[in-house]
Structures are given as C-alpha cells and as structure tokens.
Amino acid sequence: MDRPGGHRVSRPIVALDFETANERRDSACAVGLAWIEGGAVVRRESQLIRPRDLRFSPGNIRVHGILPADVRNQPEFPEAMAAFLPDLAEGLILAHNAPFDLGVLRASLATYGMRIPALASLCTLQLARQVFPDPAGCGLGKVAGRLGIRFEHHDAEEDAYACAEIALAATRHRGAADIPTLARSLGFSTAPRLVEPDRPMTQPRREAPALRFGMRGRTGNRYEVTLEKRPAGLSLRCTCAAGRYALRCRHVTALCDGDVTDLLTGNHADVVALSRLLAADG
Ligand SMILES: [Zn+2]
C-alpha cells in the first residue's frame, strides 16, 4: 500500500497456528504467530485462549497437551487476539493447511459476533507440495525435518515459526525476491478474500483425519470404510470383498455421494466433512 509521501510499505507477513479444544472450529485454545520481515522471522508470539465452551476432546489434548485448567483463567478469543487481528486483517497470513487455521479464525470471529474481514492467505502445505514434493508427504513435521528446521511440533508458537521458515526456505530455494513473489510465480493468489465461516466439522487431526464409517451391505453384513492418507491423496478403503481388491465399491460410492441410507454409525457430520476433504484434496 502507498502511504503519504510515496513511501511504499509492504503488508505484514504473519504465520499463524491455532490449536483447538475440540472438533469445533471456534474452540481455539492457543494461538501462535511468527512475523516475517526482510527474509527472516523477526517476532514470535503465543497466547493461550479460553474457549467459550470449556470442552476438551481427548484426541485434541493428545495432540497439543493443553488442558482445561491451563486456559480456565486465560482471556477469551476477542481479548486474546486483539493485539494480533490488525496485522492478520491487513497482512498476508501463512498457515500450514491454511483452511484449518483460517477456518478457526473466521469461525471464532463469527461466534463472538465480530466482523470477518477479507483475509489474504497462503497455505504452506500447498507451497511445500510444489516446492519440496516428497512421497512421505508434506505435513509440518515432515517438511521441517527434511529442511533441518528445528522446532517443538504442536506448540502453537513453534508451529507458526516452522511454517514461516518453510515459506522462507521455499523462497530461497526458488530464488524468488520474497514470499508474495514466490506465491505469484506458483500461481497462488494472495489477494484478500471474503469467506463465510465454515460450519463446525469433525476434523481433530490435520494430516490424516480419522474418519470411519460403518456401512450396511446388501445382505446385512457390516463393512468398515476408513479414510486413508496416501502419497497420491486421500483414499477410502472398505472391508468388503470389492474393497479388499482396491475396487471402488458401492459403500465408498454411497459415502462420496453423501448417501447415508446404509450408514450404520450415524456420523452424518463426518459424511459432510468427508465431501469437503475430498473436494479440497482434488
Ligand atoms: Zn465396500
């Protein structure tokens, strides 16, 4: 943006990472941020957040180790984020699996009746898949490990720092002038986008969401369909005869079509989550 006097000030570039208390997007319990300037991380912050609903899922606690007692006396989202929101609204947000962190941001703003600004973001997971592809995948820990970035995984500030360093490493690797230039050269849009917040969905884990469906077969047998993360992308496996031969069976087809007629496990929200994941996975 141009400031009076013709001095050109670039927008802030901020890596963002949220941890959540449960499967709801508006259950942030910690935030980490890392600011980039002149090709380096120049500032790091972290803040514990008290979710409005103090409900923690065991799976989420297992990931980040944050307990209800840790956040009981911490500020809620509006106060916890007050100092950071201006930079996030004006700047370019980096996040590893950006739909998750941007989803938490938007859902939390919506829950507290706050205005949701147009946000500019760049997903370092997508970035890493293009710049540092690897059959082992491009999860935060894996990419950081391959690049020699040392950090404590699943601590919000450390995750934000690693995300920032991945973007910087990709920029250096491609010889780009800066992160926005790299993003443009790879065809990623970093224009601010106004998006309605996601509705809550079941996605406690980021790399391989543990989605499981019990399906009734034609003759009444029960089959299990599970979502798996493979190098080629997300894939559904079924325990039926066709599924065991890696054929696309009617149970998988039904779930992909959102048909819950034969769903025995009753997790309809997971079927909705599945269709979004598959759409996002291409
Ligand atoms: Zn099947």
Side-chain angles (χ1 to χ4, degrees), residues 8-63:
R8 190 176 166 82
V9 178
S10 57
R11 54 183 171 168
I13 301 180
V14 190
L16 172 69
D17 184 81
F18 281 110
E19 305 295 335
T20 53
N22 57 57
E23 76 287 352
R24 287 182 60 107
R25 288 289 172 92
D26 60 356
S27 71
C29 60
V31 64
L33 306 103
W35 283 257
I36 292 174
E37 249 177 62
V41 173
V42 293
R43 178 187 168 200
R44 297 166 53 151
E45 296 281 352
S46 66
Q47 174 67 50
L48 289 171
I49 301 169
R50 179 197 163 99
R52 179 174 272 187
D53 177 12
L54 210 54
R55 174 175 64 84
F56 279 65
S57 300
N60 292 56
I61 292 174
R62 216 175 298 128
V63 168

Side-chain angles (χ1 to χ4, degrees), residues 121-253:
S121 65
L122 176 64
C123 178
T124 54
L125 174 59
Q126 300 293 339
L127 191 65
R129 281 177 177 156
Q130 289 214 26
V131 180
F132 306 116
D134 191 287
C138 285
L140 187 66
K142 287 188 173 137
V143 181
R146 292 199 294 271
L147 294 172
I149 299 166
R150 294 180 57 185
F151 77 116
E152 204 66 52
H153 199 5
H154 295 306
D155 170 277
E157 182 183 330
E158 292 273 314
D159 284 5
Y161 165 75
C163 165
E165 288 291 344
I166 287 168
L168 289 170
T171 305
R172 289 190 297 268
H173 186 75
R174 287 291 171 99
D178 53 25
I179 292 167
T181 307
L182 171 74
R184 270 194 300 279
S185 76
L186 294 170
F188 295 118
S189 167
T190 57
R193 282 198 312 139
L194 195 58
V195 180
E196 287 302 305
D198 285 347
R199 278 174 301 174
M201 58 182 267
T202 306
Q203 196 193 1
R205 293 169 61 194
R206 298 187 189 180
E207 263 289 88
L211 293 185
R212 242 167 231 286
F213 307 91
M215 296 292 285
R216 180 172 37 229
R218 250 191 264 268
T219 55
N221 287 343
R222 180 191 170 113
Y223 301 112
E224 304 294 331
V225 178
T226 50
L227 183 67
E228 291 182 4
K229 178 94 191 170
R230 315 207 141 226
L234 294 172
S235 150
L236 284 165
R237 298 306 299 264
C238 183
T239 55
C240 76
R244 274 184 274 124
Y245 288 103
L247 301 170
R248 188 182 171 97
C249 63
R250 52 187 293 273
H251 316 113
V252 167
T253 299

